[in-house]
Amino acid sequence: MSESLMPRALVLGSTSRYRRELLSRLRLPFETAAPDVDETPQPGESPAALALRLALAKAHAVAAQYPDAIVIGSDQVADLHGQPLGKPMVHDKAVEQLRAMSGQSMQFHTAVAVVCKASGFAQADTAVVRTVFRPLDDAEIERYLRAETPYDCAGSAKSEGLGITLLDAIESDDPTALIGLPLIRTARLLRAAGLLLP
């Protein structure tokens, strides 16, 4: 097979184990690379715009290292009434987030970008997941956080685990988006970039 007909390598521009596990469902060989991107929100930037900007920035950063590969970048921002909630990283911050989310409806914006520097391909899309948290008391929050320690998750809860017990509803047209990578949109973008799926 000539080099021009060889399928391009696939690189996930993320160190997230959640994204790695999700992408492996597509049964495509891929490698991972850490994107070196400043994730600080810009002044006045909405959670949706932040997620999309960071997904594109991560894909472009890794594509600069792997110019012949198809690169996936992704980012998720929790949105509580227009305010972005990041990863809590520590227990006290997670408690604060879950108290704020108690009894509230909020959105998670999960953006995915696919970039191939060699072909000039660059597209992105965002899945929006609406969640409704049931009213939570401090004892429930404490029990949950001690059981699951979701400090590396935007919004301090893992819907794919015990965090599902904190919710009254999840609404999305891309079911894996809440975990960190919207696979329906990812597959669509990979097909557009020239990969064969399934």
Side-chain angles (χ1 to χ4, degrees):
M1 185 179 273
S2 74
E3 191 172 320
S4 63
L5 297 177
M6 292 281 291
R8 293 191 184 277
L10 180 62
V11 180
L12 174 63
S14 175
T15 56
S16 163
R17 62 187 168 108
Y18 308 108
R19 290 192 180 104
R20 188 173 61 245
E21 289 166 5
L22 287 169
L23 185 58
S24 68
R25 293 184 191 182
L26 299 184
R27 299 186 184 185
L28 294 169
F30 69 92
E31 55 187 293
T32 60
D36 185 17
V37 171
D38 180 359
E39 299 191 24
T40 307
Q42 295 176 349
E45 189 172 32
S46 72
L50 174 62
L52 187 59
R53 178 177 62 82
L54 291 179
L56 281 162
K58 290 174 181 181
H60 281 292
V62 173
Q65 302 169 46
Y66 299 87
D68 292 321
I70 293 172
V71 178
I72 300 169
S74 185
D75 196 78
Q76 182 181 75
V77 179
D79 177 352
L80 181 61
H81 309 307
Q83 295 301 309
L85 299 179
K87 297 172 184 173
M89 304 313 292
V90 295
H91 184 82
D92 290 347
K93 183 73 173 170
V95 169
E96 180 184 310
Q97 285 189 354
L98 288 174
R99 281 179 179 159
M101 293 155 51
S102 173
Q104 301 296 307
S105 174
M106 61 181 295
Q107 295 181 327
F108 287 80
H109 303 276
T110 308
V112 60
V114 172
V115 170
C116 179
K117 196 167 179 162
S119 70
F121 183 88
Q123 290 184 18
D125 200 358
T126 304
V128 179
V129 182
R130 181 179 163 272
T131 59
V132 180
F133 279 77
R134 62 182 184 76
L136 306 170
D137 63 36
D138 283 353
E140 288 176 303
I141 290 171
E142 193 66 28
R143 282 195 311 272
Y144 169 68
L145 292 175
R146 294 295 178 195
E148 197 153 61
T149 61
Y151 307 133
D152 62 344
C153 296
S156 306
K158 293 182 185 179
S159 66
E160 68 276 22
L162 189 59
I164 199 73
T165 65
L166 308 179
L167 298 170
D168 272 336
I170 298 174
E171 299 172 7
S172 177
D173 65 355
D174 207 332
T176 61
L178 191 53
I179 305 171
L181 187 65
L183 284 181
I184 293 172
R185 284 166 173 78
T186 301
R188 184 184 302 142
L189 291 173
L190 291 176
R191 285 192 300 270
L195 285 181
L196 291 176
L197 288 164

